[in-house]
Amino acid sequence: MTDDATPSTAPAWHVLGTGSMACLWAASLAASGHEVSLIARDRSRHAAYHGITLESAAGGEHFEPALETRESATPIAQLLVCTKAYDALDALAGIAHRLAPEAAVVLLQNGMGFHDEALSLVGGARLFCALSTEGAWCPAPFHVRHAGRGVTLLGRYPRGPREDAQALARALPTRRLEVRPVDDIEHEMWRKLAVNCTINALTAVYGCPNGALLEPGDPGRDFAAVCFETAAVLDALGQHIIAAELPAAATEVARRTAANRSSMLQDVQARRRTEIDYINGFLCRRAEAADFPCHFNRVLCRRIRALEQGYLSR
Ligand code: NAP
């Protein structure tokens, strides 16, 4: 049973990765009648694969997208890259030779700093970026919980006509996952990065929920300092509007998500590698190239890397 009447001639989707977002999107694409295949890192996960279980407010559902590895020879017409930021380029490089000349490639990662390299990897294919506030996690392999409904912004990278994103959005499971085409996805990426720089690493360092950043005490004092510095760096980098809006925008996100644990705090608590190099790390690299000080963000990067080293090196 599927949600939409997707024409059987519609190009198939390939979803790169087998984690939370990959399973959420692959199951939702399958539910919408699309032909969809997951691309796993290697063959070791094939044995355990019997389809995807998707749990949501509507209950549990089971879907059976195909599962392949990068060695498969099938050409790829539509690709959704659902790895972490630090794996995206390697994963894309491994299957770039399979992209059809007019393929659409969508990068769905938090963070910045790898998109221009991705552009050169995809050759003649069209590159898009997606920024998602959907919440999903996997209690077991190929079993995904859709924990929070959100919105996914989709735009051509580098900036291109909104019609391109609108056309691609129609090929996504929009009845299940809200997709909003935008003109300038890079602007949205900077906006999200700015807020993430002020909340994610700080909550991971203090081991606190987002709302603690608004209370009196050390996290609140550091939050004010990191907001001030991040806004100054963004201003120096020419992102004037985002810089001006940042203190209010970050405060509003911390207030609205007061009880939540940021994704970086969740990564640290689960002893996983974080995406720090593509969030505060990216901002520091840009600041350094512009010869602008970025002391507080640099300290946050060091603190997170020290935490990671404590558990990843064991
Ligand atoms: P995840 O659960 O850790 O999944 C990442 C997947 O990428 C893993 O299955 C990993 O495989 C796979 N992968 C890595 N290298 C690969 C390769 N070369 N070939 C094939 N697969 C490869 O991460 P996630 O939660 O889905 O997050 C993906 C991105 O979405 C992140 O940037 C995250 O910040 C963003 N995001 C997530 C959420 C959410 O709620 N989960 C919400 C918004 C945005 P292995 O298991 O073999 O390593």
Side-chain angles (χ1 to χ4, degrees), residues 16-22 39-41 45 82-85 87 91 108-110 132 134-136 275:
L16 186 53
T18 51
S20 312
M21 290 310 255
I39 307 177
R41 191 198 288 271
R45 294 185 108 171
C82 291
T83 66
K84 290 283 181 62
D87 279 329
L108 194 152
Q109 279 71 38
N110 258 343
S132 187
E134 299 291 348
E275 295 181 301

Side-chain angles (χ1 to χ4, degrees), residues 217-285:
D218 290 348
R221 188 203 57 220
D222 288 354
F223 179 59
V226 80
C227 279
F228 183 80
E229 179 183 278
T230 303
V233 173
L234 288 165
D235 205 42
L237 296 176
Q239 300 292 340
H240 307 301
I241 297 171
I242 295 172
E245 292 172 353
L246 182 61
T251 302
E252 169 56 16
V253 171
R255 192 194 56 72
R256 196 164 18 86
T257 61
N260 294 6
R261 290 179 303 141
S262 72
S263 55
M264 200 171 291
L265 173 57
Q266 291 179 42
D267 283 341
V268 166
Q269 288 181 332
R271 303 165 81 82
R272 291 185 297 249
R273 183 174 169 189
T274 72
E275 295 181 301
I276 187 77
D277 288 344
Y278 301 88
I279 302 175
N280 305 73
F282 170 78
L283 190 81
C284 291
R285 288 192 296 280

